[in-house]
Amino acid sequence: MYLFLSAMFGIVFSNNLMWIYFFWEITTLCSFLLIGYKNDKASQESAFRALIMNLLEELCSLSALSICTIPPRSWN
């Protein structure tokens, strides 16, 4: 719980896009663990569903960050 909270504070107070991405990864892992904490089938399915959705979002964010770091004149 405290790791999730500190990762959220890291997202809010970070001053670099790579730190935001790093703390977002920690938030994803913690949310997976918090959702799947209860040991029944429904919570485990929900945890894996949330993990898959977060991983898809992270791939999109990583591709957007990589596009943003390319210098604008290099596209010609």
Side-chain angles (χ1 to χ4, degrees):
M1 179 71 181
Y2 291 117
L3 182 63
F4 182 78
L5 184 63
S6 62
M8 291 300 266
F9 278 132
I11 290 172
V12 171
F13 293 120
S14 62
N15 58 358
N16 191 348
L17 286 176
M18 294 314 282
W19 280 112
I20 290 173
Y21 186 77
F22 173 74
F23 286 121
W24 188 261
E25 291 286 333
I26 294 173
T27 306
T28 299
L29 178 66
C30 291
S31 66
F32 169 72
L33 293 174
L34 286 172
I35 293 170
Y37 179 72
K38 218 172 149 182
N39 198 10
D40 63 344
K41 188 153 177 77
S43 64
Q44 290 175 354
E45 288 175 359
S46 298
F48 279 112
R49 192 175 306 126
L51 182 67
I52 290 170
M53 292 304 292
N54 280 331
L55 289 176
L56 288 174
E57 186 273 330
E58 288 167 3
L59 287 175
C60 293
S61 296
L62 188 62
S63 64
L65 281 174
S66 65
I67 288 173
C68 288
T69 58
I70 297 172
R73 300 285 179 175
S74 67
W75 289 350
N76 292 337

